[in-house]
Amino acid sequence: MVHKQVASYFIEQYKNTPTLIKAPGRINIIGEHTDYNEGLVLPASIEKGIYFAVSGNDLNSIQIETFLTQPEKIVFQINGEHQKFESFWGNYFKAIIEILVAKNYPLKGMDCVFGGDIPIGSGLSSSAALCCGFIYALTKVSGKEISREEIALIAQEAEHKIGLNCGLMDQYAVLFGKKGNAFFLDCKDLSHTYIPINLDGYSWVLVNSNIKHNLAVDSEYNKRRVSCENIVKEVQKYRPEITSLRDVTLEDLQKVTNLANVIDIKRVNYIIEENNRVRKMIKVLSAGDANAVGAVLKEGHWAMSTQYQITTSELDALVKIGESLDGVLGSRMMGGGFGGCTINLMKTEKLDNNIKSLLEQYKKQTGIDAEYYHLDIDDGVKVFE
């Protein structure tokens, strides 16, 4: 177990019993590319996570190390100064410490060892877990609480500083997740509620296509943001009160169809329908209707494939193979697109056979070995007993 490794490594290095904090990864059940359009999302925090073993020190410095990915130790002074470092993760901690120093937050010396079992680059939001968990750890040691809402904003600002222009969905899912529940977030006003996942006899499984996001992803992502902004500008000509796609209806889209680019129309149609899919998913999850949940997943995937055009032939193959297997109720690509994982709802009694078939057929069709992870919905950032 990773948390035991992290704790025992800390005790060995620092001869002290640490506080152990867990920051989970997250999945998104439905609601893709809606966050930057002030739309609706339905993520959930999961049982895989990053663990931070921490304790105060009297050194006026924050010592952070990991022994798992890119083993390295970085020492930051409480004023934010540091020696040169190699690790990518150091940039996140550097950004966070600089933001807290600028806010005059009363930082205290801290020893910290971290490690986790979130597969990096699989779309489970390891960076949000890293940032939110670290900020929470700093507040525990410094003794000055920060609200979870504020932790989310600081974590987002840190990602922006590094150059990742993310919304707030990942941070909110990591901080506010609740065991056994999906987390319904309205990205317009950040109001949120919990939706129990009542699906006895069914399991959530993630299948990693092992298609790595390529460098074109950022430019493709930006093109889709521009499509959304173009339509908002067209609609604003006769409805000036509109500020984002959230308030644009299918009727509005009809009115501007002849004035706008065909691809922009297609993409915006996807976003409006995806918000409706989130509403539909909440209803069917609340009713415990597994077949209907599977149908919404499938509908969401093929809309991403044909309308928003962010899937790949390999991800489409994974979903198609699932559609041919008895006991796979539905699947869809999860995340920004052009690679990553599918999220799948499967009958628990047929789970092992279906996973085996899925991986074998995928390998046969693409020559690629996929990996799978069982998903358990767990709590948000917390002190881990």
Side-chain angles (χ1 to χ4, degrees):
M1 300 293 276
V2 180
H3 67 274
K4 287 182 178 164
Q5 283 178 279
V6 170
S8 61
Y9 185 86
F10 183 95
I11 292 163
E12 204 179 287
Q13 298 298 312
Y14 296 99
K15 314 290 182 254
N16 195 347
T17 305
T19 300
L20 197 61
I21 287 155
K22 179 189 174 187
R26 68 104 191 97
I27 52 165
N28 190 21
I29 294 172
I30 194 90
E32 227 59 89
H33 285 263
T34 49
D35 60 345
Y36 55 80
N37 290 300
E38 295 194 342
L40 308 174
V41 291
L42 193 64
S45 51
I46 60 171
E47 179 251 343
K48 288 183 181 297
I50 297 177
Y51 297 88
F52 297 83
V54 297
S55 177
N57 69 33
D58 302 322
L59 301 174
N60 272 343
S61 66
I62 296 168
Q63 313 191 74
I64 314 161
E65 63 183 305
T66 186
F67 57 96
L68 293 170
T69 57
Q70 281 183 284
E72 189 173 354
K73 179 173 179 175
I74 303 175
V75 179
F76 292 90
Q77 301 310 314
I78 287 182
N79 62 8
E81 284 174 16
H82 62 91
Q83 301 295 314
K84 203 171 173 308
F85 58 82
E86 299 293 320
S87 293
F88 71 91
W89 52 262
N91 294 312
Y92 290 102
F93 297 151
K94 173 178 182 283
I96 287 163
I97 292 167
E98 284 170 355
I99 292 162
L100 290 171
V101 167
K103 289 181 186 291
N104 295 316
Y105 179 82
L107 285 170
K108 290 195 172 154
M110 175 172 90
D111 300 324
C112 169
V113 172
F114 75 93
D117 57 2
I118 306 177
I120 303 285
S122 59
L124 296 180
S125 216
S126 51
S127 61
L130 196 67
C131 292
C132 295
F134 183 63
I135 299 163
Y136 185 76
L138 286 168
T139 68
K140 282 284 167 229
V141 168
S142 303
K144 185 171 185 287
E145 292 290 315
I146 300 181
S147 73
R148 288 185 180 237
E149 286 82 358
E150 177 136 2
I151 291 176
L153 290 169
I154 294 166
Q156 182 193 37
E157 195 183 327
E159 296 236 24
H160 287 186
K161 247 180 131 129
I162 289 170
L164 301 162
N165 195 12
C166 58
L168 274 168
M169 173 179 85
D170 294 350
Q171 293 80 0
Y172 262 69
V174 163
L175 285 158
F176 291 97
K178 187 174 164 187
K179 198 175 180 67
N181 286 263
F183 178 78
F184 172 48
L185 175 67
D186 184 328
C187 296
K188 187 173 187 180
D189 60 9
L190 297 177
S191 60
H192 48 274
T193 49
Y194 294 102
I195 311 296
I197 297 179
N198 312 315
L199 298 172
D200 276 351
Y202 298 91
S203 300
W204 293 98
V205 177
L206 217 55
V207 177
N208 189 345
S209 67
N210 276 325
I211 295 297
K212 297 284 173 257
H213 302 275
N214 59 32
L215 293 174
V217 173
D218 289 343
S219 64
E220 288 298 332
Y221 176 87
N222 290 336
K223 279 179 196 165
R224 280 150 187 79
R225 285 193 83 141
V226 169
S227 287
C228 297
E229 286 154 14
N230 288 345
I231 298 295
V232 170
K233 281 176 197 149
E234 283 301 331
V235 176
Q236 277 171 337
K237 289 175 184 170
Y238 69 95
R239 282 185 65 198
E241 74 279 9
I242 292 288
T243 56
S244 74
L245 259 194
R246 173 58 182 279
D247 303 311
V248 173
T249 64
L250 289 171
E251 290 71 40
D252 292 325
L253 204 53
Q254 265 325 110
K255 285 182 188 168
V256 300
T257 292
N258 298 328
L259 310 168
N261 176 307
V262 179
I263 291 177
D264 290 354
I265 292 285
K266 203 175 178 180
R267 287 174 178 168
V268 166
N269 191 64
Y270 161 80
I271 297 290
I272 296 170
E273 287 178 353
E274 184 76 346
N275 281 325
N276 288 332
R277 274 188 285 274
V278 175
R279 293 185 184 98
K280 199 197 278 182
M281 182 64 93
I282 288 167
K283 278 191 186 136
V284 295
L285 265 181
S286 302
D289 185 343
N291 286 315
V293 169
V296 179
L297 291 174
K298 282 192 264 197
E299 190 189 303
H301 179 82
W302 294 115
M304 284 190 287
S305 176
T306 59
Q307 291 178 297
Y308 221 59
Q309 296 173 311
I310 52 173
T311 67
T312 65
S313 59
E314 295 86 358
L315 287 155
D316 287 352
L318 270 177
V319 172
K320 267 203 190 103
I321 295 163
E323 286 176 343
S324 73
L325 295 171
D326 180 34
V328 178
L329 284 85
S331 336
R332 70 172 193 88
M333 182 198 82
M334 192 182 75
F338 310 102
C341 290
T342 59
I343 180 169
N344 304 264
L345 183 65
M346 299 185 180
K347 266 192 180 152
T348 307
E349 61 181 25
K350 297 185 174 179
L351 195 60
D352 295 341
N353 287 342
N354 277 327
I355 290 171
K356 192 167 175 276
S357 298
L358 198 57
L359 300 187
E360 280 174 1
Q361 289 188 50
Y362 179 70
K363 169 83 171 176
K364 202 170 165 184
Q365 287 182 28
T366 63
I368 300 164
D369 287 306
E371 296 165 327
Y372 70 95
Y373 318 108
H374 291 289
L375 288 178
D376 282 315
I377 310 302
D378 204 357
D379 292 319
V381 174
K382 62 179 179 183
V383 172
F384 188 80
E385 300 305 338

